[in-house]
């Protein structure tokens, strides 16, 4: 590749318009003496048509296109590898402009297709069953890098301009690497871009944010983002959840569930998903299932049982399929919806909790561009 392995976007000093919201793009255009309609035109080309070069913006004069091209670019994360699983799941390893890497996964199913996107490089949290949790946190993704994953996937699936129906990507889940609510502002800006009706045009009901339970930000997200919520619950007793999801020590189950109860516009049609990883002999007994029903009483919920996906060096076992079935039955018998997540893309390590980029071979301080901590 010209300019060496990390060239990516580094060699290009033009400002990247990717990730600017409609309001930010308007301000940007004002700064170069352009009016609002120019921003609207460009917004449409970038987020509705998926264009990455000003040259293709055919309703803008040639002179103006050249001027824009001198000052700006429209970036995409660089695709390092693109893998397709036997079951059709796709996984992309993406390299960002500074050389850091993240993963994005597309899961096609009959009648729907879910894109799982990352919000951070690594994660500050250390959930004991999660592979990403063993990777040091490096940095937050920018809004452009988060929305850029959706745009990259649309490029790859040939899904421009934004289709009004018959889409391949019908749903977006913030369930990749990182804790989205620890990168609130950028996630909010990216969600706004995904929701823009004249751009990527995803309904807020088709965007799900998964969190380990950052209580104040759950409340904020309810007020400001109104996306669907998934909570990584995984345990119904604080002593166990303290180990599995250590942020529980800061916001224990009771506080977490209080924030869930208060989440706006919950109804039978708009339920909170509770994710529950099934760990053999740890949290998978009949008593656990009954306790789960008890603690969720009164919250419009659905439960997503996730058979634990092992990774090299993990210390947990996956519950037997019979155990998972039985656990699900207890929940369904009480009238609560319970789905069992089939592991997808396991042959390409694309399943939940398996995401961990190759860039972790480089120490975190180096990836942050810092001096050696002991230097
Ligand atoms: N940080 C956020 C979102 C990313 S994790 C969160 O924790 O919710 C996405 C989901 O994958 C979470 O429910 C997480 O608990 C689950 N997960 C992590 N590691 C897993 C593993 N090894 N097997 C199965 N699910 C896992
Ligand atoms: Fe981070 Fe979520 Fe993994 Fe926990 S489960 S370490 S919050 S990515």
């Amino acid at each position: 590749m010209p300019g060496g392995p990390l060239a990516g976007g580094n060699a290009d000093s033009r400002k990247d318009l990717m990730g600017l919201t409609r309001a930010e793009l308007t301000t940007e255009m004002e700064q170069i003496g352009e009016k609002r309609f120019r921003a609207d035109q460009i917004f449409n080309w970038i987020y509705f048509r998926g264009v990455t070069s000003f040259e293709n913006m055919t309703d803008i004069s040639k002179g103006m296109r050249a001027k824009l091209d001198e000052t700006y670019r429209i970036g995409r994360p660089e695709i390092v590898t693109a893998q397709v699983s036997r079951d059709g799941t796709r996984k992309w390893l993406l390299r960002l402009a500074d050389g850091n890497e993240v993963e994005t996964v597309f899961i096609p199913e009959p009648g729907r297709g879910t894109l799982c996107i990352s919000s951070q490089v690594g994660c500050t949290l250390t959930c004991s069953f999660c592979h990403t949790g063993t990777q040091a946190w490096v940095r937050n993704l920018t809004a452009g890098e988060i929305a850029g994953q959706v745009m990259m996937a649309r490029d790859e699936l040939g899904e421009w301009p934004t289709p009004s129906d018959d889409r391949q990507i019908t749903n977006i889940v913030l369930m990749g690497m990182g804790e989205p609510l620890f990168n609130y502002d950028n996630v909010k800006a990216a969600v706004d871009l995904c929701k823009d009706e004249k751009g990527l045009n995803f309904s807020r009901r088709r965007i799900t944010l998964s969190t380990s339970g950052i209580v104040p930000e759950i409340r904020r997200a309810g007020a400001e983002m109104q996306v669907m919520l998934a909570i990584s619950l995984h345990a119904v007793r604080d002593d166990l959840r303290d180990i599995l999801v250590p942020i529980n020590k800061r916001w224990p189950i009771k506080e977490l569930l209080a924030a869930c109860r208060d989440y706006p516009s919950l109804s039978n049609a708009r339920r909170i998903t509770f994710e529950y990883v099934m760990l053999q002999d740890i949290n998978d007994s009949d008593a656990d299932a009954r306790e789960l029903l008890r603690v969720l009483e009164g919250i419009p919920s659905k439960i997503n049982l996730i058979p634990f996906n092992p990774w090299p060096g993990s210390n947990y076992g996956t519950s037997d399929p019979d155990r998972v079935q039985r656990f699900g039955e207890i929940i369904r018998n009480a009238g609560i919806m319970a789905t069992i997540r089939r592991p997808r893309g396991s042959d390409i390590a694309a399943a939940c909790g398996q995401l961990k980029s190759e860039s972790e071979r480089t120490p975190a301080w180096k990836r942050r561009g810092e001096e050696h901590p002991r230097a």
Side-chain angles (χ1 to χ4, degrees), residues 119 123 125 127 129-132 174-180 210-213 230-234 245 275-279 306-311 341 351-354:
S119 57
C123 188
L125 302 181
C127 303
F129 56 88
C130 173
H131 204 187
T132 306
L174 281 143
M175 284 187 192
M177 295 165 70
E179 168 49 59
S210 174
T211 177
S212 57
I231 301 285
S232 293
L233 190 62
H234 307 316
V245 186
E275 297 163 277
Y276 196 95
V277 64
M278 297 292 289
L279 304 168
I306 317 174
F308 170 66
N309 293 310
W311 36 273
R341 196 180 295 176
C352 301
Q354 292 184 321

Side-chain angles (χ1 to χ4, degrees), residues 292-333:
L292 180 59
L293 287 167
R294 198 188 65 77
V295 298
L296 295 184
E297 218 172 284
I299 305 176
S301 347
K302 55 186 174 192
I303 313 242
N304 194 204
L305 301 175
I306 317 174
F308 170 66
N309 293 310
W311 36 273
S314 60
N315 285 327
Y316 295 101
T318 309
S319 305
D320 283 342
D322 287 353
R323 183 87 297 269
V324 181
Q325 285 296 344
R326 175 72 193 131
F327 198 98
E329 245 169 54
I330 295 176
I331 293 164
R332 281 190 289 263
N333 286 345

Side-chain angles (χ1 to χ4, degrees), residues 115-189:
L115 189 73
C116 177
I117 61 176
S118 296
S119 57
Q120 298 183 313
V121 184
C123 188
T124 50
L125 302 181
T126 53
C127 303
S128 54
F129 56 88
C130 173
H131 204 187
T132 306
T134 65
Q135 180 185 350
W137 178 81
V138 180
R139 69 168 173 87
N140 286 332
L141 297 190
T142 64
E145 288 165 342
I146 299 168
Q149 296 170 65
V150 179
M151 302 183 64
M152 172 283 303
R154 280 233 172 119
D155 295 344
E156 287 282 284
L157 297 168
E159 196 157 51
W160 294 113
T162 298
S164 43
D165 44 30
D166 272 341
R167 293 180 177 191
Q168 296 180 74
I169 307 172
T170 58
N171 293 62
I172 298 174
V173 294
L174 281 143
M175 284 187 192
M177 295 165 70
E179 168 49 59
L181 293 183
F182 274 156
N183 183 15
Y184 188 95
D185 292 342
N186 293 333
V187 164
K188 160 93 171 55

Side-chain angles (χ1 to χ4, degrees), residues 229-294:
L229 195 60
I231 301 285
S232 293
L233 190 62
H234 307 316
V236 285
R237 297 189 330 262
D238 280 322
D239 60 341
L240 179 58
R241 196 164 189 272
D242 282 351
I243 297 168
L244 299 181
V245 186
I247 197 72
N248 191 66
K249 292 183 210 152
R250 178 80 179 77
W251 293 289
I253 295 173
K254 206 167 162 218
E255 286 181 40
L256 174 58
L257 295 182
C260 291
R261 263 175 238 283
D262 293 346
Y263 199 74
S265 59
L266 289 183
S267 65
N268 282 345
R270 265 176 76 77
R271 296 163 191 268
I272 295 182
T273 302
F274 289 91
E275 297 163 277
Y276 196 95
V277 64
M278 297 292 289
L279 304 168
Q280 188 168 41
D281 298 330
I282 303 278
N283 64 354
D284 63 352
S285 71
D286 290 358
D288 288 315
R290 284 192 285 268
E291 183 62 10
L292 180 59
L293 287 167
R294 198 188 65 77

